[in-house]
Every structure is written in C-alpha cells, then in structure tokens.
C-alpha cells in the first residue's frame, strides 16, 4: 500500500514534469483547423459600435445605416510557420475545464483569425477581448473554455497586436481620410 508521502511525492513529480490537462474537443478542433490551413491571417478591424461611440447623437438616429458601414481593416498579419505552431501550442495548452466569470458587455470584436485552404477562406474566429467572448462556427458545437480568451490575448500580444486600443479614435481617423 502506498503511503501518503509517496503519493504526494508522485503528484509533485508529475507537476514538476509539466503535466497539463489533455486538450478538450474545442481545443483539438481549433488546433486542427490552424494546422490544416494553408494560410492563417490575424486581422485587426473596426466594429460598427466604434462609429456609434464616436458620434452618439448622429448615429443613434441612423442605426440602420450604422450596421451597414464597411469594416475598416487597420492591419493584418499572415502567420508564418513558427507563429502557426505557437498558436497551435497556445490553443492546445489551454485548460479545457477552466472557468471564469461571464461578462455582461456587448460583443465588439476587433480581432479575427481567418483560415484559408486552397486559396479560399474556409473559416474564421471573431474575438472580443473586451467581453471575453469568441465566435467560431465550429463543427463540434461546443463553447470555448473560459481560459481560451486569455490564451488568445497572450498570443495576439506576442505577435504585436495588442487586444486593447482606442478603437473609437482609430475609426474616427480612418473615416476622416
């Protein structure tokens, strides 16, 4: 029979060896999409609420027009092989059983990952770092683990796309040109 000391030592050795939970179905499907894609592009873009916040008096009277405004792409980055591998590792290492606090804010995505196979965009993931939500039409139909937003936050920061910027000022500048 194992003593509690031997059991505790075994647990510590497993922790020291870097044992992490196995990726769940969401992470596995996401990482597989990244791996299969010929191109993965990170896009930083406007959201139509940015225009609303920019001039509340005008846009509150023209809501139908507001949602029809064209998206502005501020910048984009096609991930190189190393960055794709980093993204796969980031997604796969996210704790599948993580939990956090749900946000009550409105989804306002300013970051998107686009996936291309054979020259055609086959999927995309919209990310709102403000509310901590991700919109992805995945075949698995499962919600992302709560820690996924933090993992993606770390990734986009590492490639020079900070999740938080003055989105209203960016849209005002772009639309004034």
């Amino acid at each position: 029979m194992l003593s509690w000391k031997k059991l505790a030592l075994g647990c510590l050795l497993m922790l020291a060896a870097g044992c992490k939970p196995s990726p769940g179905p969401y992470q596995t499907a996401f990482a597989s999409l990244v791996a299969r894609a010929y191109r993965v592009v990170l896009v930083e873009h406007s959201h139509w609420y940015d225009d609303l916040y920019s001039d509340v008096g005008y846009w509150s009277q023209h809501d139908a027009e507001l949602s029809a405004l064209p998206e502005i792409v501020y910048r984009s980055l096609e991930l190189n092989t190393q960055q794709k591998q980093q993204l796969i590792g980031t997604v796969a290492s996210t704790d599948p059983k993580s939990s956090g606090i749900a946000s009550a804010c409105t989804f306002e995505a300013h970051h998107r990952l686009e996936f291309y196979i054979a020259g055609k965009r086959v999927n995309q993931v919209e990310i709102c770092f403000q509310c901590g939500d991700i919109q992805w039409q995945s075949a698995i139909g499962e919600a992302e683990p709560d820690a996924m937003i933090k993992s993606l936050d770390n990734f986009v920061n590492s490639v020079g796309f900070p999740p938080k910027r003055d989105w209203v000022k960016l849209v005002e500048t772009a639309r004034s040109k």
Side-chain angles (χ1 to χ4, degrees):
M1 190 166 255
L2 285 175
S3 72
W4 69 270
K5 287 182 182 178
K6 287 182 181 177
L7 183 60
L9 180 60
C11 289
L12 285 174
L13 288 173
M14 286 190 335
L15 287 173
C19 295
K20 295 182 180 177
S22 298
Y26 184 93
Q27 295 96 303
T28 302
F30 195 131
S32 175
L33 177 60
V34 176
R36 285 190 335 266
Y38 175 73
R39 292 177 56 220
V40 178
V41 180
L42 174 60
V43 179
E44 183 183 79
H45 59 85
S46 65
H47 186 277
W48 62 273
Y49 278 179
D50 302 336
D51 288 286
L52 175 69
Y53 300 142
S54 173
D55 186 353
V56 176
Y58 175 78
W59 291 113
S60 64
Q61 299 169 12
H62 300 85
D63 190 43
E65 295 172 33
L66 184 61
S67 61
L69 284 172
E71 175 185 88
I72 299 169
V73 173
Y74 300 119
R75 57 192 177 146
S76 62
L77 170 71
E78 183 171 343
L79 303 185
N80 62 32
T81 303
Q82 180 183 3
Q83 291 163 330
K84 280 178 62 176
Q85 290 303 315
Q86 180 185 352
L87 179 57
I88 290 168
T90 296
V91 168
S93 67
T94 300
D95 184 356
K97 293 181 174 66
S98 61
S99 63
I101 299 170
S103 173
C105 76
T106 305
F107 186 82
E108 298 175 41
H110 288 100
H111 293 80
R112 176 175 54 244
L113 286 165
E114 299 176 343
F115 302 93
Y116 295 83
I117 296 175
K120 180 179 173 188
R121 185 164 76 183
V122 296
N123 212 321
Q124 66 183 27
V125 175
E126 288 283 350
I127 308 162
C128 177
F129 290 105
Q130 179 175 317
C131 71
D133 198 8
I134 299 168
Q135 290 183 351
W136 173 39
Q137 297 301 319
S138 70
I140 63 168
E142 241 181 73
E144 76 276 1
D146 296 329
M148 185 60 72
I149 198 72
K150 181 63 177 160
S151 296
L152 292 173
D153 181 302
N154 291 337
F155 174 75
V156 299
N157 261 313
S158 76
V159 295
F161 279 59
K164 295 182 178 161
R165 296 185 66 193
D166 188 341
W167 303 110
V168 172
K169 185 175 181 177
L170 284 168
V171 80
E172 287 173 345
T173 301
R175 297 238 191 260
S176 69
K177 292 181 181 179

